[in-house]
Structures are given as structure tokens and as C-alpha cells.
Amino acid sequence: TSANAVRGTVTEDNSGARETTGRQQDWWYLALFVCIGSGVWIFAYASEWCIYLVYLTDRFDMSVLQIGIGQMSGDVGGALILMMSMLTGKRLACTSSGKMSAAC
């Protein structure tokens, strides 16, 4: 029993080991879900950027640098609006019928 005490298991009651294994499997599923979700997000973002890249270079003869700056400024602007709305607790609306609406 001293070897079992060192390993942290008890021979009479083995339910604790099963609970630990169950929790480890739950973490595995969570990690797998996060990895798959991140992969889908990266693929969708890259696909969107490539579609705009092809369209804007063909239609308006823009350089890749100009398109990248436009894409990044739009992402940073959207992130700032989201961050400000979360920090202030106020809802920032770009379109509203009220007189006190925020202008975007």
C-alpha cells in the first residue's frame, strides 16, 4: 500500500482514478474544439483577404500594400469600437434613429 500511496491511488476505491481520466478527456475535447475553431477562423479570414486582394487589384489596379493597409485599418477600427463599447458599457450604434446616436 505504500507504493499506492506514493502513486496517489487507493486499491480499495478506484473511482478517483476514473474521475481524473474523465476530466482529462474533457480537457482533450475542449482543446480539440478550440484548435478546430481557430483553424476555421484563420481559413475564413485568409479567404476573405484573398478575395478582396484579387478583386481590388483587378478592378481598381491597387497595390497589395494599399489593400493590406486598408484591411488592417478596418480590422483595428472595428476592434477599437468593440473595445470601447465593452469598456464604457454603452452600446455604440452606427445607425440609429435617435438624436443622441454615436457617429461612426
Side-chain angles (χ1 to χ4, degrees):
T1 59
S2 63
N4 288 336
V6 170
R7 280 188 251 139
T9 59
V10 178
T11 55
E12 292 86 21
D13 184 20
N14 201 11
S15 64
R18 277 187 246 133
E19 285 180 19
T20 302
T21 303
R23 278 188 254 141
Q24 287 173 348
Q25 286 178 349
D26 291 342
W27 281 107
W28 167 251
Y29 291 131
L30 177 64
L32 183 66
F33 177 74
V34 168
C35 289
I36 289 172
S38 297
V40 168
W41 179 78
I42 290 169
F43 176 76
Y45 185 79
S47 298
E48 173 200 5
W49 197 88
C50 288
I51 289 169
Y52 281 123
L53 177 72
V54 170
Y55 173 73
L56 293 173
T57 53
D58 185 45
R59 177 81 172 166
F60 298 108
D61 197 29
M62 295 175 70
S63 72
V64 176
L65 179 63
Q66 292 171 335
I67 296 169
I69 290 171
Q71 178 76 24
M72 184 59 71
S73 64
D75 293 343
V76 170
L80 285 174
I81 290 173
L82 180 63
M83 185 176 63
M84 292 304 293
S85 68
M86 297 298 256
L87 291 176
T88 60
K90 296 179 182 177
R91 183 175 177 201
L92 298 176
C94 293
T95 58
S96 177
S97 61
K99 294 179 181 177
M100 300 296 288
S101 64
C104 292

